[in-house]
Amino acid sequence: MAGAVYGKADSHVLVPGENHVQLNETPAERDARMGWWRKAKFGMFIHFGLYSGLGGEFKGRAGGAEWLQTNLGLDTETYAAEAMPLFNPAPGCTEEWAKLAKVAGCRYMVLTTKHHDGYALFDSKVSDYTTAKTKGRDIVREFTESARKNGLRVGFYHSVIDWHHPSYDNTICRGLCYPSGQAKMLRERGVPRDHAAYQAFLQAQVKELLTNYGKVDILWWDYSQGDASGERGWKAPTLISMAHKLQPGIVMNNRLYAYSSLKSESDAAGLDLRCGDFMTPEKRLLAMGVNGVDWEACMTLGNHWGFNRRDKAAYKSVPTLLRSLQRCAALGGNLLLNISPREDGSVPPPAVEAFWRIGRWMEVNGESVYESVPVPELKLPEEWLASRVGRHLYLFAPVIKTEEEAVTVRIPASVFGKGKIEPVVLGQPDCKVQVNLVKDEESGESMAELAIPASAWVFAIEGLPVIKLSAPSAR
């Protein structure tokens, strides 16, 4: 995906201002910086924090997961008194995450360094509400070491919302999520809000993350709403400039701004590169696979991001997860798939099984995903998808149950120019795909009709075969 698409709503989108930074790189420099991320395609998201020990409940009351504190209206002291004794990361838990990511075929990992509850997983000089102070552990340092040891890129999620810090002022935006009990406690104690002080605290913690842990590949901001956005909300231009200065090659999403494609209605606004490098549709894929727009779908295995002990019944099937990965490859995006470790950092067995099974499929078929680009000119039957890597075209076949000996699919012969089309089913060298050249009755266009043996589905991992078609080498 070379190039970039700028926001359509702002005709002066490249002009810096109070709410935006100056862009100081050429398109070629941006492509070079984004290159590894665009090729990686698949990452692991890890939501781990104080909420993990509660497992979705507070004294028998269901409250979700990482949003439990505000869902149940708890002040920080009440929340932490219950959650802190239950949250005890075991030694080596980050190694378990990294090994699981590697076996699944992920190329990068993103960890929640601090979620909305304000509890940080790193050592901070500006806060005692951290794992370093309360547990004697710097989970972020352990995470970065485990990721790098296993050959994975390092990503930091960081919440700009903070329900713990007394200066954080949620009132700058009407309806911004905030625990009612915390607001009540601050009022009763006469604690004033000083959002400028909170912004200084936010900047200090981000600086710590970008200074103390070596090379950081991704900074995954979360999140903005209404007036709690950009300069007013978080002094976003300062944060972005600092990130680029301290980590010149870093890649960032655009959630420091409210129009971040967090929700589908903002997709059409495009991507304003002053706000970040890629869009992050949540629990969904970008509806349009537009060339030039960098995007990453963040998805959960179940319904929640953090650990919820009731969530395993809602886990998506492995074929469903793989189809999401295929759709990302076919539409030019990445997939960031979340795990929800328990209070000791262990990964629930159904999640471990899902990632292992994805890894088995990727071991055979990963060449169709990594470094892939969309093929928007290729019209395929419903549910069939395609990607291209170099001169190779890959067809992602849907799950099919058939009593026929073969399944046929037609693609325009012009996709390959002149020469013989050579199809193979990945991982099945004995599965022979027949090719017949026919003419489309309506358009008269020459079509390559592929007759794929039904056995391709029988022997495919997770019932999802990939057909590789190689174009003739340039003469």
Side-chain angles (χ1 to χ4, degrees):
M1 291 193 308
V5 170
Y6 294 85
K8 299 174 183 176
D10 186 352
S11 60
H12 303 289
V13 74
L14 293 178
V15 178
E18 182 182 353
N19 202 38
H20 297 96
V21 298
Q22 170 72 54
L23 292 179
N24 292 314
E25 63 180 358
T26 66
E29 289 171 336
R30 169 177 159 77
D31 288 343
R33 180 171 57 85
M34 295 292 295
W36 76 263
W37 183 90
R38 290 170 178 166
K39 294 175 180 177
K41 292 300 175 185
F42 186 30
M44 174 187 279
F45 214 176
I46 303 139
H47 273 68
F48 188 55
L50 204 53
Y51 45 84
S52 303
L54 297 171
E57 295 181 1
F58 183 87
K59 297 182 177 181
R61 297 166 61 198
E66 72 289 344
W67 281 67
L68 183 146
Q69 183 181 350
T70 194
N71 287 345
L72 298 182
L74 305 174
D75 65 77
T76 289
E77 293 176 6
T78 303
Y79 167 74
E82 184 74 10
M84 193 71 73
L86 300 173
F87 180 65
N88 292 296
C93 63
T94 62
E95 191 68 18
E96 179 185 350
W97 308 339
K99 288 179 177 178
L100 185 60
K102 184 176 181 179
V103 80
C106 297
R107 294 290 173 87
Y108 59 98
M109 304 170 71
V110 179
L111 171 67
T112 51
T113 63
K114 184 194 79 168
H115 210 276
H116 305 333
D117 63 2
Y119 184 69
L121 303 189
F122 57 96
D123 193 6
S124 176
K125 291 183 179 180
V126 296
S127 175
D128 290 335
Y129 200 50
T130 71
T131 53
K133 299 297 194 304
T134 62
K135 303 295 177 179
R137 301 274 297 282
D138 188 331
I139 301 299
V140 168
R141 186 167 303 283
E142 295 175 26
F143 162 76
T144 57
E145 291 173 354
S146 295
R148 292 179 186 129
K149 186 168 72 174
N150 285 276
L152 297 158
R153 297 271 189 163
V154 169
F156 289 165
Y157 165 110
H158 196 73
S159 172
V160 292
I161 290 171
D162 193 315
W163 302 327
H164 172 264
H165 199 286
S167 293
Y168 169 72
D169 190 0
N170 65 294
T171 65
I172 63 172
C173 173
R174 187 174 183 177
L176 186 62
C177 57
Y178 195 74
S180 57
Q182 180 75 353
K184 181 174 182 289
M185 183 184 75
L186 294 177
R187 281 198 308 272
E188 290 176 348
R189 296 181 180 180
V191 178
R193 305 294 184 89
D194 182 356
H195 202 59
Y198 171 70
Q199 290 171 332
F201 166 81
L202 171 62
Q203 183 173 334
Q205 283 205 320
V206 171
K207 185 176 182 179
E208 289 173 332
L209 286 170
L210 298 178
T211 303
N212 298 336
Y213 297 94
K215 189 176 189 302
V216 180
D217 300 291
I218 300 170
L219 192 48
W220 213 100
W221 307 104
D222 198 28
Y223 80 99
S224 299
Q225 174 184 330
D227 290 331
S229 171
E231 169 66 21
R232 182 180 184 190
W234 328 116
K235 292 196 173 297
T238 300
L239 288 174
I240 292 173
S241 295
M242 179 176 66
H244 281 302
K245 180 179 179 181
L246 296 175
Q247 298 282 344
I250 202 165
V251 174
M252 288 179 275
N253 72 351
N254 64 340
R255 289 196 183 188
L256 285 174
Y257 293 84
Y259 41 91
S260 61
S261 195
L262 174 63
K263 298 181 179 180
S264 58
E265 54 264 30
S266 58
D267 288 351
L271 177 61
D272 184 337
L273 296 182
R274 298 172 305 171
C275 305
D277 298 305
F278 62 96
M279 300 197 294
T280 56
E282 186 166 314
K283 293 186 178 182
R284 64 184 180 84
L285 305 184
L286 202 64
M288 65 226 181
V290 179
N291 275 330
V293 175
D294 291 302
W295 62 277
E296 173 191 72
C298 52
M299 308 282 281
T300 58
L301 291 177
N303 291 327
H304 300 89
W305 294 102
F307 176 61
N308 184 303
R309 60 179 55 93
R310 302 180 185 182
D311 219 17
K312 61 184 179 181
Y315 272 26
K316 301 171 182 67
S317 71
V318 173
T320 296
L321 296 171
L322 285 169
R323 286 297 278 174
S324 293
L325 180 56
Q326 290 176 349
R327 289 184 187 279
C328 286
L331 294 175
N334 287 16
L335 176 65
L336 186 63
L337 187 58
N338 183 67
I339 60 169
S340 310
R342 294 175 289 202
E343 67 280 357
D344 60 354
S346 62
V347 183
V352 173
E353 180 187 353
F355 271 76
W356 269 91
R357 288 169 61 183
I358 291 171
R360 285 185 64 242
W361 188 90
M362 287 290 281
E363 191 174 357
V364 172
N365 301 290
E367 66 178 77
S368 64
V369 175
Y370 302 126
E371 303 188 23
S372 62
V373 295
V375 195
E377 70 275 13
L378 182 60
K379 306 303 179 184
L380 292 170
E382 188 175 1
E383 293 304 313
W384 285 76
L385 303 167
S387 69
R388 187 188 292 280
V389 180
R391 68 186 187 90
H392 305 298
L393 179 72
Y394 296 89
L395 300 182
F396 299 117
V399 174
I400 293 176
K401 293 182 180 179
T402 179
E403 295 179 358
E404 302 295 328
E405 292 185 1
V407 174
T408 60
V409 61
R410 291 182 175 185
I411 62 172
S414 59
V415 171
F416 293 100
K418 296 180 180 180
K420 185 179 180 181
I421 299 172
E422 303 170 354
V424 296
V425 181
L426 294 184
Q428 300 183 47
D430 295 329
C431 186
K432 305 301 180 184
V433 178
Q434 299 297 319
V435 181
N436 293 309
L437 292 178
V438 298
K439 279 196 175 184
D440 182 82
E441 294 179 358
E442 292 186 6
S443 66
E445 182 180 6
S446 179
M447 305 291 287
E449 184 176 79
L450 311 181
I452 307 164
S455 61
W457 280 265
V458 175
F459 295 108
I461 299 172
E462 303 299 338
L464 290 170
V466 177
I467 296 85
K468 177 180 181 180
L469 300 99
S470 299
S473 300
R475 300 259 195 275

